[in-house]
Each structure stands twice: as C-alpha cells, then as structure tokens.
Amino acid sequence: MAQKKFTLTEADIPEKWYNIVADMPNKPLPPLHPGTKEPIGPEMLAPLFPMELIKQEVTSEKWVDIPEEVRDIYKIWRPTPMFRAYGLEKLLDTPAKIYYKYEGVSPAGSHKPNTAVPQAFYNKQAGVKRITTETGAGQWGSALSFACQLFGIECEVYMVKASYDSKPYRKIMMNTWGASVYPSPSNRTEAGKKILAGDPDSPGSLGIAISEAVELAFQDENTKYALGSVLNHVLMHQTVIGLEAIKQLEQAGDFPDIIVAPFGGGSNFAGIAFPFLRFNLDEGKKIRCIAAEPASCPKLTRGVFRYDLGDTVGMTPLLPMYTLGHNFIPAPIHAGGLRYHGAGAIVSQLLKDGLIEAQALKQLECFEAGIKFARTEGIIPAPEATHAIATAIREAERAKEEGVSKTILFNLCGHGHFDMGAYEQYLSGKLVEHEVTQEEILASLAELDTPVIA
Ligand SMILES: *Cc1c(COP(=O)(O)O)cnc(C)c1O
C-alpha cells in the first residue's frame, strides 16, 4: 500500500534555524525611526525585545543554533507529520502529487508556538517578568500564553474587541494557560483611551491592539513585547517547518515544483518556503513559492512597496513592506489571521525581486476548498489554511489541463476547531464574498505620509 504519512523522529528536529537573509541577492532595507525617519539601531528596539532576539532580527548569519531547551519543548509536537493527499488528488482527478505539512498538531493548534517558545525562552533568559502582546482571532495569543506558562513568565494579551466578543473559547484557552486577556481598545493604556474617546464602541483592530501592547512594554523595564509574525526573527523561527519537510519529501522520493502557504504577515509562508527557496538561491533550482492572501486584504497583489508602520498609533518603527496602509481596516472575513495591512520586510523584498509569487483568493472559493479537503483528507482546516488549499487545487487543476505531473507541497498551518461558526455560515449559505475595491485601496494609501522607496 502506498505511503500516506511521512513521520520523523525527535532526533530529526532541526538543530539550527535557516536565515534566508544570508542568501538574498538584495538584503531587506533597514527599519526607520517613525519620527526622524533615520535607520534605527538595536538600542531603539531594546525596550521591546531581549537582546538575543534583536541580534537575530539583524543577523545575516546563515544558520542560527536552536537552544536545547527550545528543542526539548518542540518535542511535544515536533516533528510534525507530512501527508500525501491521495483523497484530494482522486477527487480532483489530477496527475499532480499533492503533499501537506500539518502544523495543527501543536498545543495551540497552529504553527505559532514554533516562535512563541523561543521568544519566551530568550525573554526568560534576559530576566523578563511579563510579556505583552496583541491577538486578532486568538491564535497568537494562545500560542504565547502556552509558551509563557512553560517558562513562568506573566502574559498579558490585548485581544481585538470584535474577536474577544465573538471567540470566547480562544480567550478561555489563554486563561487556561494562565494569561490575562483584555478586549482592545481598553482603558488600561493611553492608546486605548484615545481610541475609546473617539469611539466608545470601537470594534478594535490589530493595529490598535499592537499600540496598546507596545505602550506597556515601553513603560516598564521588566515587561517586554512579543510579535507573532512579520519580523525577521519570527520568520526564521518558523523555518523548522520547511527543514523537516525537506527530509520528509526525501523519504517520499520526491522534490517539489510548487510550494504554497497562506499569507498574513508572512511567518508560516516563510517557514515552509524559505528552506526550499535556498535550493533556488544556492543551487539554481526553480521551485515556485506562492503566497496565498485574501482578496479582502490583498497587500501583496494590490498594495504598494514602501515604508509603513506596523501599528495604528505610530509606536513601531517604519518597515519596508508591501502594504495597504496602516489605517486600512479589512472586511471581517473568517480568516482572522490574514487580516493584516502589511507584510514582513524579507518577504516583501523577495516579492519585489520576483523570487516568490502571490495570489489573492475570495472567501467562498477558499471555504469550498476547505470542505473538499475535510471530506477527502479528514482534517478540518483553519479558515486561513483554506487559502493554501484553494491555491493548491488551482495549481493541480492547471496541471491536469496541461497534462503534466507537478509535485505540490502546501502548509496546513492550523486546524479549524474554533471556527465552527464560520463553517456553519458557509454550510447554511450565509457566507458573503468580499473583495476590496480599488477606490478603498487608493483612499487608504492616500493617507500615507511615510517614506516612499525609490
Ligand atoms: C496567524 C496565522 C496565520 C497568518 O500569519 P502568518 O504570519 O502569515 O503565518 C495563518 N494561519 C494561521 C492558522 C494563523 O494562526
């Protein structure tokens, strides 16, 4: 019988993270101070992050050691399995071979603990007592709550108010791991009070929640801040996904033509794609790496490449990114993890240089793909992950039309067990399509006064 599941042993958990910056033909541009617009040094980040993480943020060393303590915790769920999607292939009647790496087996149910654990570890090592963060749908907040609990660090999560009200079980998950969770905007920070003064019923946004969490870290030397995507060190931590997948595809006797991952800020995409992109950059291979983003928040396919803020109030450095503008408020689609206005500096530079691709997908096509996947492969995917499934299906159908066999690997970055409300809407025909208009994008970009990149 053909092999379906490709597993590794604890000894196969990578010993080093891969840092793609070492291999990039054009390095990412430096972050700028939001006031002076001059490049910032590590000292500006020191109130927010422990020095080890700042070093990882700026290093161009190709391989960075994973601490033994971190590998020990990774053993709870790593190595994650890779599967061949025979059921889906059969349904599509495609000559393409489809594989998926499943990150939903982590305690929090997504890839996010891959970076939450090392971030908590380096904070603990630096003597930090409390970490603040933001969360949208709750995936990052739960991953960080879990990681902080293991290292005995207090965790304070600012959860976008709309999600706080609509996703009570994600909040309780965070409480179970010992974190305090506040709806954002809150009256615990100046940033939150300012927003509430303007709109007492504000539903909040990721940008606002980041402003609140960052403000608290600036105020107290024992408190630091943690981000679940976008930054260079976060993307690097996620490369354990692709490094394991390389070994698993070797086991399968295969090599990918196409890699696909959903795209919010870029961390799970980087995690699966960068170790394979190394074959393109180092050895001249031609693997296509496709980022799958929602049509309602299409920064990669319809945004501009320029400096922009990571938050709403202007407390974070300016980063070079594909962006829709930091005031852009995406429609309330169910893939909450993909509702971010910008993208990381590394992925943005790679896209600019034509080394990766992006596709935008609407919500109905994604849920349809998610249902096909659940009914053939069994696993119910997170709404974010359905963007990768739909893209893999597009590519498999194209392979069929062209009569060629392609090997496709996609990242199944999380399960959808907390998203039954979204599936209920889809199944009862109530899910609505969202695509942002050109007017909306231009209006948001017109508000930007951040530096343009020549
Ligand atoms: C957070 C999240 C994403 C989006 O974030 P990236 O940094 O782009 O990976 C996608 N899927 C899931 C399940 C998430 O939790």
Side-chain angles (χ1 to χ4, degrees):
M1 217 172 74
Q3 194 173 349
K4 165 88 183 158
K5 181 177 177 184
F6 299 85
T7 53
L8 300 169
T9 66
E10 284 177 5
D12 294 309
I13 295 174
E15 288 172 7
K16 293 172 194 290
W17 290 298
Y18 169 58
N19 178 20
I20 198 170
V21 173
D23 290 327
M24 288 169 73
N26 297 311
K27 307 301 177 199
L29 299 168
L32 305 181
H33 188 283
T36 66
K37 316 250 192 298
E38 294 294 323
I40 58 165
E43 69 288 349
M44 198 201 152
L45 295 173
L48 295 183
F49 303 107
M51 200 41 75
E52 261 333 287
L53 289 175
I54 296 174
K55 281 191 201 151
Q56 292 184 357
E57 187 61 22
V58 298
T59 185
S60 49
E61 210 181 318
K62 185 160 171 163
W63 298 99
V64 174
D65 285 335
I66 306 179
E68 238 358 87
E69 294 88 334
V70 171
R71 288 185 77 235
D72 264 340
I73 296 175
Y74 277 169
K75 285 176 192 166
I76 298 174
W77 73 98
R78 306 212 70 84
T80 60
M82 184 192 80
F83 297 92
R84 171 109 180 245
Y86 288 110
L88 183 64
E89 286 174 22
K90 186 157 173 247
L91 178 77
L92 300 174
D93 186 27
T94 173
K97 292 189 245 177
I98 306 176
Y99 294 92
Y100 56 97
K101 179 81 166 151
Y102 185 39
E103 291 294 310
V105 293
S106 81
S110 76
H111 63 287
K112 296 272 190 346
N114 296 334
T115 183
V117 169
Q119 290 196 51
F121 169 77
Y122 291 116
N123 273 286
K124 181 69 182 182
Q125 212 182 33
V128 172
K129 301 279 180 270
R130 184 173 66 150
I131 299 181
T132 57
T133 198
E134 73 291 332
T135 198
Q139 289 273 19
W140 170 239
S142 27
L144 191 69
S145 305
F146 153 69
C148 283
Q149 181 56 234
L150 293 189
F151 287 103
I153 302 171
E154 251 180 78
C155 183
E156 198 168 302
V157 182
Y158 288 80
M159 185 170 188
V160 175
K161 173 123 191 313
S163 308
Y164 183 93
D165 293 337
S166 67
K167 298 216 163 174
Y169 295 131
R170 272 280 168 200
K171 172 188 169 281
I172 292 163
M173 195 176 191
M174 294 182 246
N175 295 147
T176 302
W177 278 313
S180 314
V181 186
Y182 302 99
S184 166
S186 78
N187 55 19
R188 297 171 57 84
T189 65
E190 292 310 314
K193 284 182 200 158
K194 197 165 124 191
I195 301 281
L196 287 173
D199 177 9
D201 297 321
S202 167
S205 72
L206 263 184
I208 296 169
I210 295 175
S211 302
E212 292 205 86
V214 166
E215 179 184 321
L216 291 163
F218 268 123
Q219 279 167 5
D220 173 13
E221 61 173 337
N222 291 318
T223 300
K224 301 240 180 264
Y225 167 74
L227 190 63
S229 184
V230 177
L231 296 179
N232 302 351
H233 66 271
V234 180
L235 272 54
M236 186 182 75
H237 295 160
Q238 293 293 352
T239 57
V240 290
I241 303 172
L243 292 169
E244 288 176 6
I246 289 172
K247 289 189 185 174
Q248 287 162 311
L249 278 173
E250 263 168 29
Q251 244 185 54
D254 242 325
F255 195 78
D257 298 297
I258 300 170
I259 308 258
V260 184
F263 194 98
S267 77
N268 91 88
F269 171 78
I272 193 153
F274 286 5
F276 286 98
L277 266 175
R278 186 170 73 81
F279 293 115
N280 292 3
L281 299 170
D282 264 8
E283 298 174 18
K285 293 269 194 314
K286 294 205 163 50
I287 307 168
R288 292 174 58 209
C289 295
I290 309 173
E293 65 178 5
S296 56
C297 194
K299 56 251 173 176
L300 299 178
T301 52
R302 295 171 70 193
V304 292
F305 183 58
R306 70 182 284 170
Y307 274 98
D308 197 8
L309 293 164
D311 71 333
T312 303
V313 175
M315 311 246 264
T316 65
L318 290 159
L319 297 173
M321 57 164 82
Y322 276 91
T323 181
L324 295 166
H326 60 266
N327 290 323
F328 182 79
I329 303 215
I333 55 160
H334 291 290
L338 308 185
R339 297 178 67 233
Y340 185 66
H341 67 271
I346 295 176
V347 269
S348 294
Q349 187 65 49
L350 291 169
L351 183 66
K352 179 90 176 28
D353 291 340
L355 298 171
I356 60 171
E357 303 171 34
Q359 293 186 19
L361 298 98
K362 293 193 218 169
Q363 180 159 251
L364 281 172
E365 178 183 347
C366 293
F367 270 90
E368 199 179 301
I371 295 279
K372 277 184 186 152
F373 186 80
R375 291 182 182 176
T376 51
E377 295 295 318
I379 299 168
I380 301 179
E384 291 85 357
T386 62
H387 290 69
I389 300 171
T391 305
I393 291 178
R394 282 182 181 180
E395 295 298 331
E397 283 174 342
R398 192 147 79 133
K400 183 179 176 182
E401 275 161 32
E402 294 173 356
V404 290
S405 173
K406 294 274 180 201
T407 298
I408 303 169
L409 168 67
F410 73 85
N411 199 22
L412 187 61
C413 53
H415 66 63
H417 299 177
F418 288 85
D419 301 283
M420 287 303 119
Y423 278 93
E424 194 271 330
Q425 277 199 359
Y426 174 79
L427 292 169
S428 59
K430 291 191 201 122
L431 200 74
V432 288
E433 203 69 300
H434 279 295
E435 183 167 23
V436 64
T437 66
Q438 198 56 19
E439 290 70 39
E440 288 169 306
I441 292 178
L442 292 176
S444 172
L445 291 174
E447 289 178 30
L448 280 184
D449 57 359
T450 52
V452 178
I453 299 166

